[in-house]
Amino acid sequence: MNNTTDAVTSWDGIYAARAAATDPRPNVRLTETVADLPPGEALELGCGEGGDTLWLARRGWRVTAVDLSAVAVERLTALAGSYGLGDRVTAERHDLGTSFPEGPEGGFDLVTAHYLHTPYELDRAAVLRRAAHALRPGGRLLVVDHGSTAPWSWNQDPDIRFPSPREVAEGLALDPADWTVERADAPRRTATGPDGTTAEVTDHVLIVVRRAS
């Protein structure tokens, strides 16, 4: 199998092995960033169970949610419909290494990418660069990465190094005349793992804003 087939099989298997979520939680870095923003058009890269997408939709955002897993996409579509949010949520399957969702005319007001890490090959910088270009003037790209290893992480390599938010920003190679870094820091929080255990973890948070024309 090629890399894409391996990745699809793996992620479909991960979601199929879980019971479908009925009320997935949003990520705290999303809620703290977006709570005071007026609703608009949003794109979520790697929607998973859909906690962020549903949180945005409930606040009036129209959300395009994408994931590599067809299982995740189908479940989110059904869940959004069950909450009466089907008109605000469009869930699509994309391999972001080869395809990218079409944005609304004028671009997205918000693009989010939470923990867009994978053991499979992906030019993440290219994906995030394309996401930045999909923003309308004044729109925000929110990238939240792992800054430490949680006890339940699939990657327990003790030598793993997590690029800082500034390094991630530099890797996007965006023209500073058109984009500005609004936030780049490493806050800590208490996280809960799949089995209910908790641990203190570090997030790497990057917010890039597309300057107004």
Side-chain angles (χ1 to χ4, degrees):
M1 291 192 294
N2 61 30
N3 180 74
T4 297
T5 303
D6 287 346
V8 170
T9 300
S10 176
W11 287 111
D12 276 346
I14 288 170
Y15 286 108
R18 303 175 183 171
T22 57
D23 192 17
R25 296 173 300 172
N27 284 294
V28 65
R29 304 305 172 203
L30 173 77
T31 60
E32 70 183 16
T33 299
V34 179
D36 295 330
L37 296 180
E41 296 279 351
L43 168 63
E44 183 181 5
L45 304 178
C47 62
E49 294 181 326
D52 288 356
T53 289
L54 295 174
W55 185 88
L56 288 166
R58 286 171 174 141
R59 283 152 183 79
W61 291 78
R62 293 180 58 86
V63 189
T64 300
V66 305
D67 203 278
L68 180 62
S69 169
V71 175
V73 167
E74 290 166 4
R75 286 182 174 181
L76 177 53
T77 297
L79 191 56
S82 73
Y83 281 114
L85 299 171
D87 60 336
R88 296 182 189 170
V89 173
T90 301
E92 302 176 0
R93 185 195 168 278
H94 284 273
D95 175 356
L96 291 171
T98 59
S99 67
F100 200 86
E102 291 186 13
E105 185 176 353
F108 291 102
D109 300 281
L110 174 71
V111 180
T112 70
H114 278 76
Y115 314 111
L116 192 64
H117 306 290
T118 175
Y120 299 94
E121 183 180 347
L122 176 68
D123 188 346
R124 211 178 73 114
V127 172
L128 296 178
R129 188 179 305 115
R130 188 167 183 179
H133 281 273
L135 294 169
R136 67 161 181 81
R140 286 174 170 81
L141 169 63
L142 169 63
V143 181
V144 182
D145 291 334
H146 294 301
S148 65
T149 301
W152 51 82
S153 173
W154 52 264
N155 189 347
Q156 292 293 327
D157 182 355
D159 297 322
I160 190 171
R161 182 181 176 278
F162 300 96
S164 72
R166 287 286 177 184
E167 288 173 319
V168 173
E170 290 169 4
L172 302 187
L174 297 171
D175 187 341
D178 296 319
W179 287 269
T180 185
V181 174
E182 181 179 78
R183 178 180 177 184
D185 60 6
R188 297 186 65 80
R189 63 183 172 87
T190 299
T192 303
D195 62 355
T197 59
T198 61
E200 189 175 47
V201 299
T202 300
D203 289 325
H204 283 175
V205 181
L206 172 67
I207 300 176
V208 176
V209 179
R210 189 166 195 172
R211 296 178 184 269
S213 302

